[in-house]
Amino acid sequence: MAKAILVLSALCSILAFANFAQSHEVFKVEGTVYCDTCRVQFQTKISENIEGAKVQLTCRDMETEKVTYTTEALTDKDGKYTIEATGDHEKELCDVGVIHSPREDCKEPAIGFENTRVVCSNNVGMHNPTRYANPLFFMKKESLPGCKDVLDELGLFPLEF
């Protein structure tokens, strides 16, 4: 009987620890921010990475839409960022969005493309703690002269410039 109580006690301790560990998960959200030099809202070979762009991860409750978690990061020289998100956000919608571009010539956000959805939960079939966000971008005020050639090469010309 004493052995059964001891085994049951150990099992309860293990389950309690597993539940605690699961609630303190850490996810890495990785992505890039670039300058859309052709104003076409997708990356081309003449797009430029933005160093020092500020991005923010925001999670909202699915029912109330109240913000439950937020954190920010800056991009490195290659336009890449890594944001650490703590905890499991299974019942939340999490988005990474661009907040600020340090480049005066490329600060216009693209309406409708300011955010990208990321999943910050282990309960969705993904077993890697790293999540990869779609690229985010700002647009130049005017497209570069080489854009016509780039788009022609892609078979997308003629577009209005």
Side-chain angles (χ1 to χ4, degrees), residues 18-46:
N19 189 34
F20 174 79
Q22 184 178 14
S23 66
H24 288 86
E25 296 176 40
V26 177
F27 297 96
K28 284 186 354 180
V29 178
E30 296 181 0
T32 59
V33 179
Y34 69 92
C35 178
D36 180 2
T37 56
C38 291
R39 299 184 54 84
V40 290
Q41 299 182 347
F42 61 87
Q43 209 160 3
T44 67
K45 68 180 186 180
I46 60 173

Side-chain angles (χ1 to χ4, degrees), residues 33-35 50-55 75 98-109 137-139:
V33 179
Y34 69 92
C35 178
I50 300 179
E51 180 180 3
K54 185 187 288 188
V55 295
T75 57
V98 289
I99 302 297
H100 172 75
S101 171
R103 288 185 47 175
E104 289 300 319
D105 67 328
C106 194
K107 358 180 38 133
E108 183 182 331
F137 60 94
F138 291 94
M139 296 189 299

Side-chain angles (χ1 to χ4, degrees), residues 116-137:
T116 184
R117 179 80 23 102
V118 291
V119 177
C120 294
S121 174
N122 272 335
N123 299 325
V124 292
M126 290 186 269
H127 302 290
N128 185 337
T130 302
R131 303 297 192 247
Y132 301 98
N134 289 330
L136 296 166
F137 60 94

Side-chain angles (χ1 to χ4, degrees), residues 33 48-52 74-80:
V33 179
E48 302 166 350
N49 296 324
I50 300 179
E51 180 180 3
L74 294 175
T75 57
D76 65 14
K77 65 179 177 53
D78 298 318
K80 296 179 181 180

